Amino acid sequence: MKQAIEMALSKIGDETSIVKWESVSGGSINQAFYVSTGKQEYFAKLNRTAPDGFFKAEEKGLNILSSHGIRVPKPLVLLPRGETEMVFLMEWISPARSNKQSERSLGRLVANMHHNTVDMAGLDHSNYIGELHQENNQTDDWVTFYRDQRLGIMQDIANEAGVLSGDRDRRLTKMRERLDLFIGHKPDFSLLHGDLWDGNRLVNENDEPYLIDPAVYYGDREIDIAFTYLFGGYTEGFYAQYDADYPLEKEWEDRIPVYQLYYLLVHLVLFGESYGSAVDRILQKYTT
Ligand code: ADP
């Protein structure tokens, strides 16, 4: 592992030796390390098993966000899988505890991100949610996008993984058929983080929030916010600032379960049946 990191460092011209490297916890997919050399500190992610384009997609997502002024760690170098594992080296963000100020700033950051809108949902390339493929074919119809490219593709992946019982599968198909009723609005297509759980934000020592590990595309901004509510960790201050900067529609809360369903299906595939009952509750709500 150290050898792989050294190869990545030499690619960016840091030939000084590694002074310290230690594992960083908190991620769910990759091995993560703090690395410091005679020259600089870095954050390194390593992966042996993910698909080839996995880190490339993350790098592209980070670059899209940063090109819209959204604070993310700066990508430095990617090492494809070769003799060693894949390596992704980026700027190290010295982490601090979040506080009222940083939570409000994060609310503003996410609202700023969502204020970037385009004419089509999707993106010009596919990417990953966790290690799962995420298709982003562009369309101007949000219900079609969410029905087919989010719920539909995840239904196929879940079926292949054997985590949808016959009843789950039937209900999911039924819910997808009536999705226009449950979504019931025509959203703008906002720049989305796409994987906005609590573990994918950081704050530095100056109380400045960063977004990390995105699964970027354009779509209904409510899906990002719905995901923040799924596992929690975001404070009142975050939501108050977000809503002050970019108010949500009054009926948006009705759509929370519809949008959380995608992430629950992803978790069902990645982490197993402990997410099954939450999936079932939503499916039952919309298919009785
Ligand atoms: P994974 O893709 O495996 O989920 P993450 O990108 O979420 O990995 O990173 C794992 C953990 O490492 C995060 O929860 C965060 O605490 C920390 N981390 C991520 N990026 C940085 C960074 N640029 N600087 C410092 N710490 C980071």
Side-chain angles (χ1 to χ4, degrees):
M1 267 181 281
K2 195 172 176 191
Q3 192 202 351
I5 296 173
E6 280 166 345
M7 281 170 71
L9 286 169
S10 89
K11 273 207 160 188
I12 51 167
D14 186 347
E15 305 284 357
T16 62
S17 49
I18 294 178
V19 181
K20 188 173 167 191
W21 69 301
E22 56 190 29
S23 127
V24 177
S25 63
S28 48
I29 305 281
N30 305 289
Q31 284 184 292
F33 295 94
Y34 163 82
V35 179
S36 124
T37 67
K39 197 171 167 188
Q40 210 183 315
E41 294 176 304
Y42 303 92
F43 178 69
K45 277 176 148 180
L46 279 75
N47 195 303
R48 254 176 217 289
T49 54
D52 284 346
F54 185 66
F55 284 151
K56 188 76 205 160
E58 182 177 344
E59 182 190 40
K60 281 184 173 176
L62 290 171
N63 284 334
I64 292 171
L65 293 178
S66 107
S67 74
H68 288 88
I70 304 307
R71 211 180 291 109
V72 295
K74 187 174 161 40
L76 297 171
V77 70
L78 280 181
L79 216 61
R81 199 189 335 263
E83 291 148 41
T84 64
E85 49 270 81
M86 291 189 281
V87 184
F88 186 9
L89 217 59
M90 66 183 92
E91 176 191 4
W92 170 255
I93 309 301
S94 188
R97 279 180 82 88
S98 60
N99 56 36
K100 276 191 179 153
Q101 175 57 40
S102 69
E103 281 288 310
R104 284 202 161 263
S105 304
L106 181 68
R108 172 146 294 172
L109 188 76
V110 173
N112 287 345
M113 175 175 70
H114 288 168
H115 266 123
N116 294 284
T117 56
V118 293
D119 294 340
M120 302 274 261
L123 193 65
D124 62 1
H125 59 273
S126 60
N127 51 19
Y128 296 91
I129 176 81
E131 268 177 312
L132 305 178
H133 188 71
Q134 190 167 257
E135 205 55 68
N136 294 317
N137 293 322
Q138 290 160 315
T139 159
D140 61 3
D141 189 281
W142 171 247
V143 172
T144 304
F145 182 87
Y146 189 60
R147 185 191 62 217
D148 296 344
Q149 299 196 55
R150 289 295 176 266
L151 295 182
I153 288 180
M154 205 44 63
Q155 182 171 15
D156 292 343
I157 295 175
N159 266 320
E160 232 165 82
V163 294
L164 291 189
S165 64
D167 185 52
R168 246 179 223 164
D169 191 40
R170 264 191 308 279
R171 283 180 189 270
L172 181 51
T173 301
K174 199 167 159 196
M175 181 170 167
R176 287 179 51 224
E177 282 165 3
R178 304 181 65 214
L179 200 62
D180 52 340
L181 289 177
F182 308 138
I183 289 187
H185 81 154
K186 285 199 179 300
D188 287 337
F189 303 134
S190 292
L191 177 60
L192 304 180
H193 177 280
D195 193 4
L196 200 57
W197 72 291
D198 180 36
N200 277 345
R201 40 78 166 251
L202 282 178
V203 57
N204 72 8
E205 288 152 335
N206 299 323
D207 296 339
E208 293 168 323
Y210 284 74
L211 297 181
I212 60 172
D213 206 9
V216 169
Y217 64 103
Y218 288 87
D220 189 349
R221 63 195 175 101
E222 293 176 2
I223 194 167
D224 264 352
I225 305 300
F227 193 18
T228 67
Y229 281 106
L230 183 59
F231 301 133
Y234 290 81
T235 63
E236 291 283 309
F238 167 81
Y239 295 110
Q241 188 65 55
Y242 180 86
D243 214 49
D245 287 359
Y246 201 173
L248 289 156
E249 288 173 21
K250 218 168 73 222
E251 313 73 36
W252 97 274
E253 289 187 9
D254 299 341
R255 291 184 280 270
I256 293 177
V258 177
Y259 287 150
Q260 289 182 339
L261 179 60
Y262 174 62
Y263 293 106
L264 285 167
L265 288 169
V266 168
H267 279 72
L268 181 65
V269 172
L270 290 176
F271 307 114
E273 193 48 38
S274 54
Y275 292 93
S277 57
V279 167
D280 291 339
R281 263 197 304 278
I282 295 177
L283 291 177
Q284 276 156 19
K285 179 178 160 75
Y286 291 98
T287 57
T288 45

